[in-house]
Amino acid sequence: MLGTIIGDISGSTREFNNVKSLDFQTITEDSSFTDDTICTIAVADAILNQKPFTDTMVSWCRRYPRPMGGYGAGFLAWLRSEDHLPYNSFGNGAAMRVAPVAWLYDRYEDVVLAAYATASISHDHPEGKRGAMTIASCIYGLRKGAPKDFVRDFVSLSYDIPEYAPFSNPFDESCMNAVPVAVSCFLAGNDFEDVIRKAVAVGGDSDTIAAIAGSLAEAFYPIPEHLKKQALALLPEKMIGIIRDFYQCIGCCSPFGKD
């Protein structure tokens, strides 16, 4: 989950001002979490505490109504509605918030069903659900020891993965763009921070591309300690509490040491 959050924070200031170099500081004093982090925390909270996805998502997003970059127009309308019915979205939000699912369930069948459920509360277009299930499946495979090529082979069944090319991605908030582009960044990266750097530099919706790529990278590479500390320092205590509970539940990779 922290891989998603680090990617989100690293891309937060570059979403509407894409970088034009691969040589940049990933997290700066101007960086912040965005809706990507909030929604990912909500998914983890719902699973950890056995709460409905819809209610938990609405609660967390209303707690932080004005994150950096704001919420997408369709999602914001969903948040403000009385009934919170899904609105047939195929936006990349379905894929960027799904990472906790792949760690908190230990059977692949449960991972896929839960990924489908997290998307269906709002992003119930077939492409939204496909994006969530694809990323969750990849994370699950990686954390179970699959090689990098597994991701290429699995994703290629559903998407055309582009060759990685920095500064080339248009601003496109769909799952159909974000999933294959984020995967290309993961495949091109040499370590966790390199994946994040490539994801931010590819262009387009930088925070979400980097959040998705970061979620994959966390399942394959160790996260550098300095990035863990920098990211956690930018998060409210309520979020840190969910993150602590998440890593205690999965029993590995905790950014908090042995506590």
Side-chain angles (χ1 to χ4, degrees):
M1 183 165 67
L2 199 56
T4 304
I5 294 169
I6 291 171
D8 175 42
I9 291 172
S10 298
S12 63
T13 59
R14 284 93 180 202
E15 181 179 8
F16 303 111
N17 184 27
N18 290 163
V19 298
K20 300 301 180 184
S21 167
L22 283 165
D23 184 18
F24 61 89
Q25 186 176 347
T26 49
I27 297 178
T28 72
E29 60 183 13
D30 297 321
S31 300
S32 177
F33 65 88
T34 80
D35 61 317
D36 299 33
T37 291
I38 298 167
C39 293
T40 301
I41 293 285
V43 168
D45 183 16
I47 299 171
L48 287 166
N49 295 297
Q50 300 182 2
K51 300 187 292 188
F53 285 121
T54 298
D55 295 349
T56 311
M57 187 69 64
V58 170
S59 175
W60 274 97
C61 292
R62 286 183 172 176
R63 181 177 288 143
Y64 302 100
R66 290 177 291 277
M68 180 178 283
Y71 295 102
F75 187 76
L76 185 60
W78 178 81
L79 283 176
R80 291 173 173 172
S81 68
E82 294 183 1
D83 48 20
H84 308 299
L85 294 176
Y87 55 100
N88 200 38
S89 174
F90 49 76
N92 54 25
M96 60 79 167
R97 69 195 188 198
V98 78
V101 164
W103 293 91
L104 292 172
Y105 292 97
D106 208 45
R107 292 197 320 147
Y108 178 65
E109 295 84 353
D110 295 331
V111 169
V112 173
L113 288 172
Y116 184 97
T118 65
S120 296
I121 64 172
S122 53
H123 294 57
D124 63 329
H125 188 282
E127 291 291 350
K129 292 180 284 193
R130 179 170 71 155
M133 291 188 290
T134 298
I135 292 302
S137 296
C138 289
I139 297 170
Y140 180 82
L142 291 170
R143 83 170 184 89
K144 290 293 187 178
K148 250 189 170 184
D149 284 347
F150 157 76
V151 173
R152 185 189 306 277
D153 294 343
F154 184 85
V155 175
S156 293
L157 297 174
S158 301
Y159 300 91
D160 292 327
I161 305 172
E163 288 296 319
Y164 177 75
F167 331 125
S168 65
N169 191 45
F171 194 88
D172 181 338
E173 295 180 293
S174 71
C175 267
M176 297 84 83
N177 171 267
V179 170
V181 170
V183 167
S184 77
C185 299
F186 168 68
L187 294 173
N190 298 311
D191 54 40
F192 180 87
E193 189 163 8
D194 190 45
V195 170
I196 298 298
R197 195 177 299 282
K198 283 181 165 62
V200 173
V202 77
D205 193 0
S206 297
D207 60 328
T208 300
I209 298 293
I212 297 171
S215 72
L216 296 169
E218 180 178 15
F220 193 75
Y221 295 114
I223 300 177
E225 291 298 321
H226 71 279
L227 290 180
K228 294 179 185 178
K229 292 177 182 178
Q230 287 175 314
L232 289 171
L234 296 173
L235 300 179
E237 190 58 40
K238 286 185 178 295
M239 289 188 183
I240 291 175
I242 297 298
I243 295 169
R244 188 183 299 275
D245 290 346
F246 170 84
Y247 284 102
Q248 286 179 343
C249 183
I250 68 172
C252 72
C253 314
S254 174
F256 304 103
K258 296 182 179 180
D259 65 344

